[in-house]
Amino acid sequence: MGQNCAAGPVAINSSITRDDNIRENQMKQLLMATAAMVIGATSAFAETKIGMITTLSGGGAGLGIDVRDGFMLAIGQSGRDDIDVVIEDDQQKPDIAVQLADKMVQSERVDILTGIIWSNLAMAVIPGVTAQGKFYLSPNAGPSALAGQGCHPNYFNVAWQNDNLHEAAGAYATSAGYSNSFILAPNYPAGQDALTGFKRTFEGGLAGEIYTQLGQTDYAAEIAQIRASGADSVFFFLPGGMGISFLKQYADSGVDLPVVGPAFSFDQGILQAVGDAALGVVNTSQWNKDIDNPTNAAFVESFQAEYGRLPSLYASQGFDTANLILSALDKAEVSDADAFREALRAADFDSTRGDFKFGPNQHPIQTIYAREVIKEGDVFTNKIIGVALENHGDVYAVDCKM
Amino acid sequence: MSTLLIIEQLLNGVQFGVMLFLMAAGLTLIFGVMGLINLAHGSLYMIGAFAAAAVAGATGSFGLALAAALAVAAIAGALIEMTVIRRLYGKAHLDQVLATFALILIFSEGTRWLFGSFPLFLDIPDALSGPVTLPGGIQYPLYRLFLIAVGLLVGLGLWALIERTRVGIQIRAGENDREMIAALGVDIRRLYTLIFAIGAALAGLAGALVGAIQSVQVGMGEPVLILAFVVIVIGGIGSIKGAFIGALLVGLTDTLGGIFLPELFKLFMEPGAATQTGSALASMAIYILMSLVLVWRPTGLFGARA
């Protein structure tokens, strides 16, 4: 107590002088900022500002970093210096993503937003952004709510509608002759969409269907159920670390039923962490590094040269998103929203996936491949083994009225 | 549902329980003896896993990896105790929560800075991989049996340390009356650092052991931390025995709830809805267990004080 009383007056005195200093500093900063704005205003006149909100910290950062790196690679290769990309980390939290979007729209005055990885964040941000007249191009998340009745003329999805890769997995499992599949996914909207998507195209029966907890890391109980179920195959959607855990434990359990899944548990970023446990697993993806076209070959090579690692499907989606924006900017200014929208809709760019076109709800119509996990030297990667679904759109497009 | 499946699930529950115990033991000691809420305990778990993955990657030896996990986590624990935690003992719990939450952020981003954003690879050693056939024809992964054994051994070791050694007497005394044992000439600062390092080492060991069958990635410790808190609340704060029983209860409830609740709902609902409702309820099961225990015994099963 005594110490505090003695320190009191001193603290007040010093804070007065400090306040003066701060005020002086603030004045200087204000003057400098004003000067900078005057100078900046002339050069920034014709600039296009793109806001990227993506996940750069926490457990899901690998995905956001890949999208960002793919996107920035394309911007860098375009050689254009009139494009300003503002990148912010959403920490995989919807509330932070919303704050960042508000900041970007209101104070940064961006023209186009992009970058969000997760569907729950996308749902929180995209409707608000498009309602304010901004463009949003999704490099990853494709929730069904935004593909059907909730579609919007300013919202484009460059990756896929969420159900797509699961529908492809169901189609592949059918064509592979599986007739009794055990299916599992986390108990959250994208997980429910996944099982729905799989069941939509899978013609066999189900030996079991379970929802796991989101973020679950131990799958011993589920693997025991798979063993006891008499299934002839397993389909799972467990993105990120959940998939790594499942595959390692599955490989160690002695259950040797064939596994099918979407690319999300087999992307370049996490395959090395799964190791041998993933070898031979078939997964479905709209992109792979061996899709044979010059754009893709150049992309894989330049990505590796720039960042020292192989690109993932997320990186390809970021790269395609940036190239789509660049192709539209060549035709129209963002300020002319109608012309710019038409230019985006035309999708007149060289995609890493080969031909690229949008459906009526501005989601891709594309071919989805079946890939197999292989080992190239020391590196685990994927190889295309066939087409799962050709020129596939999504079932929600009919509900979209634009 | 066959008996074999039920026995296998019981083993799974026990295995999950003993791993939770390794986390909860350190947490409950630190809370019980020092009165400190350490949110960064999950970071020590992560540090253990990363240290193990790095050493296993460099040397290929799982034994060395485990040793590294223990050592690195213990050193990290001792360091943060001496630099940060020591200043927090007299402070309110809110200050402790804020400061240790800051530590989580620092460790998470520091780990990302060192190792990158992509998960690391840590695999089960060949000698422990694959399933074994137990009496009765149950196929069970050998590594999980190994985890159960290690967990039980550590539990036994901790019991011996606390009940049978001089340090144990000091720890128990510190739990009861920290001013008094300081007055009796025990160097309380060194004791605190030691306890913190032991707790950290156990968390690091758990991270390394579990990392081999899960994903070694930034942020892996936080979900486990929440469960560990549930365990110590159920077991009673400060009690190693409570942490052990609580961990087994939580492990079994979580594992068996995930299996049986959906089955239960299938008796009167259509299968799709039953799995969804059942799994939603299963994820609440441990918290329901915790509230029931608290209603019955407000200080936890073996807790001395509230």
Side-chain angles (χ1 to χ4, degrees):
Chain A
M1 239 354 231
Q3 266 184 345
N4 281 345
C5 290
V10 180
I12 290 167
N13 283 340
S14 70
S15 76
I16 290 172
T17 47
R18 210 184 301 137
D19 273 2
D20 285 348
N21 281 336
I22 288 170
R23 257 180 230 126
E24 212 170 286
N25 279 338
Q26 279 175 336
M27 278 305 284
K28 276 185 198 158
Q29 279 169 5
L30 196 66
L31 283 173
M32 275 160 66
T34 320
M37 271 156 69
V38 173
I39 299 163
T42 46
S43 70
F45 199 68
E47 249 183 25
T48 306
K49 227 172 174 185
I50 302 173
M52 173 177 280
I53 301 169
T54 195
T55 305
L56 302 173
S57 63
L63 288 68
I65 287 171
D66 266 6
V67 163
R68 178 195 67 190
D69 289 352
F71 192 93
M72 295 314 289
L73 182 69
I75 299 286
Q77 286 175 356
S78 73
R80 292 181 65 146
D81 54 3
D82 58 342
I83 297 174
D84 184 14
V85 185
V86 185
I87 301 171
E88 294 273 9
D89 174 20
D90 61 32
Q91 302 167 32
Q92 206 177 333
K93 292 180 183 139
D95 48 330
I96 294 192
V98 170
Q99 283 170 24
L100 289 173
D102 287 345
K103 192 184 103 186
M104 284 185 172
V105 170
Q106 284 156 22
S107 59
E108 304 263 7
R109 305 205 168 273
V110 300
D111 309 294
I112 304 165
L113 280 103
T114 182
I116 294 177
I117 301 294
W118 311 95
S119 290
N120 52 339
L121 276 68
M123 288 305 299
V125 167
I126 296 172
V129 167
T130 49
Q132 294 179 73
K134 303 293 175 191
F135 285 94
Y136 186 91
L137 284 85
S138 177
N140 199 59
S144 50
L146 297 179
Q149 285 177 354
C151 67
H152 192 281
N154 280 3
Y155 168 62
F156 290 79
N157 188 306
V158 195
W160 22 253
Q161 197 283 315
N162 276 356
D163 299 12
N164 287 167
L165 302 195
H166 312 296
E167 289 164 347
Y172 171 80
T174 306
S175 72
Y178 303 142
S179 59
N180 194 23
S181 209
F182 194 101
I183 62 176
L184 67 155
N187 198 11
Y188 82 121
Q192 289 142 18
D193 283 355
L195 297 193
T196 313
F198 181 84
K199 287 190 276 187
R200 193 176 288 138
T201 51
F202 182 59
E203 287 162 16
L206 295 181
E209 174 178 0
I210 40 181
Y211 285 107
T212 60
Q213 290 173 33
L214 189 60
Q216 185 171 327
T217 49
D218 199 298
Y219 293 92
E222 286 75 13
I223 291 167
Q225 280 175 289
I226 291 172
R227 195 201 306 271
S229 71
D232 67 356
S233 57
V234 176
F235 165 77
F236 76 98
F237 164 61
L238 296 166
M242 294 185 275
I244 300 178
S245 302
F246 176 78
L247 280 168
K248 281 163 86 171
Q249 293 163 25
Y250 186 80
D252 192 46
S253 69
V255 183
D256 51 5
L257 303 173
V259 174
V260 180
F264 310 117
S265 298
F266 304 92
D267 74 74
Q268 205 59 47
I270 67 175
L271 271 182
Q272 319 315 319
V274 183
D276 284 336
L279 271 185
V281 175
V282 174
N283 63 98
T284 50
S285 176
Q286 84 288 3
W287 175 86
N288 196 41
K289 71 178 171 62
D290 61 356
I291 293 180
D292 191 14
N293 66 61
T295 313
N296 196 36
F299 163 65
V300 174
E301 200 190 319
S302 56
F303 189 93
Q304 239 182 324
E306 180 80 24
Y307 303 109
R309 63 177 195 271
L310 283 172
S312 67
L313 81 156
Y314 308 111
S316 81
Q317 291 159 194
F319 189 78
D320 278 355
T321 306
N323 277 325
L324 172 64
I325 295 175
L326 290 164
S327 75
L329 284 175
D330 284 341
K331 291 184 185 169
E333 292 283 328
V334 192
S335 49
D336 183 359
D338 288 333
F340 187 71
R341 187 179 306 115
E342 276 316 308
L344 284 175
R345 227 175 245 158
D348 191 7
F349 72 105
D350 293 326
S351 164
T352 53
R353 289 166 245 182
D355 292 337
F356 185 98
K357 67 170 189 259
F358 282 119
N361 57 350
Q362 302 180 166
H363 283 59
I365 293 180
Q366 58 192 345
T367 298
I368 300 171
Y369 302 92
R371 321 186 291 183
E372 187 183 327
V373 179
I374 54 160
K375 199 169 184 180
E376 271 178 6
D378 282 343
V379 181
F380 292 94
T381 187
N382 286 288
K383 184 184 81 175
I384 290 184
I385 56 167
V387 170
L389 287 172
E390 190 125 30
N391 289 329
H392 184 63
D394 61 88
V395 295
Y396 305 101
V398 290
D399 297 327
C400 169
K401 309 271 182 284
M402 278 200 275
Chain B
M1 186 154 296
S2 67
T3 334
L4 282 190
L5 182 61
I6 294 173
I7 295 174
E8 187 175 349
Q9 301 293 18
L10 283 172
L11 280 173
N12 287 334
V14 170
Q15 182 262 312
F16 184 37
V18 294
M19 283 301 110
L20 274 180
F21 167 67
L22 290 187
M23 274 295 276
L27 204 59
T28 202
L29 270 184
I30 290 164
F31 197 108
V33 179
M34 313 183 197
L36 178 96
I37 298 183
N38 180 24
L39 291 187
H41 208 63
S43 300
L44 296 163
Y45 174 87
M46 175 186 76
I47 287 172
F50 272 87
V55 170
T59 65
S61 157
F62 192 68
L64 279 179
L66 286 189
L70 276 169
V72 173
I75 292 168
L79 279 178
I80 58 174
E81 200 278 337
M82 287 190 281
T83 51
V84 180
I85 306 289
R86 190 166 280 181
R87 294 160 213 282
L88 298 170
Y89 292 132
K91 299 270 167 50
H93 283 324
L94 184 62
D95 294 344
Q96 300 174 347
V97 166
L98 282 175
T100 50
F101 185 70
L103 285 176
I104 294 184
L105 300 178
I106 293 168
F107 278 117
S108 292
E109 295 314 304
T111 312
R112 182 194 317 289
W113 181 64
L114 275 176
F115 292 96
S117 305
F118 297 98
L120 291 194
F121 176 70
L122 175 65
D123 203 11
I124 303 169
D126 286 341
L128 293 172
S129 70
V132 286
T133 309
L134 300 181
I138 303 169
Q139 280 219 318
Y140 199 71
L142 179 60
Y143 188 73
R144 286 184 188 270
L145 291 178
F146 169 72
L147 293 186
I148 295 177
V150 171
L152 293 179
L153 280 177
V154 169
L156 205 64
L158 266 183
W159 172 82
L161 175 79
I162 291 182
E163 300 292 331
R164 293 280 182 272
T165 65
R166 194 174 174 77
V167 174
I169 295 171
Q170 292 175 351
I171 291 174
R172 277 180 289 147
E175 223 166 301
N176 285 327
D177 194 331
R178 74 182 85 169
E179 282 83 13
M180 186 53 90
I181 75 154
L184 288 172
V186 174
D187 184 349
I188 195 92
R189 285 159 67 103
R190 231 184 54 205
L191 181 67
Y192 280 8
T193 310
L194 179 72
I195 295 173
F196 207 88
I198 292 174
L202 290 179
L205 177 68
L209 287 172
V210 169
I213 51 169
Q214 295 181 3
S215 141
V216 178
Q217 61 181 10
V218 173
M220 63 188 283
E222 277 66 58
V224 192
L225 179 77
I226 297 171
L227 291 177
F229 270 114
V230 173
V231 166
I232 67 170
V233 168
I234 289 178
I237 287 159
S239 162
I240 293 284
K241 188 162 81 176
F244 187 75
I245 306 285
L248 287 182
L249 274 177
V250 168
L252 287 168
T253 309
D254 195 54
T255 307
L256 299 181
I259 316 296
F260 292 116
L261 283 173
E263 295 297 320
L264 185 71
F265 279 94
K266 271 183 199 158
L267 296 178
F268 52 89
M269 282 169 85
E270 60 100 13
T275 39
Q276 222 162 315
T277 328
S279 15
L281 200 65
S283 55
M284 289 185 256
I286 54 167
Y287 302 101
I288 297 172
L289 171 75
M290 178 172 76
S291 7
L292 290 179
V293 168
L294 286 182
V295 169
W296 175 45
R297 294 185 78 123
T299 56
L301 294 175
F302 298 93
R305 52 190 152 96

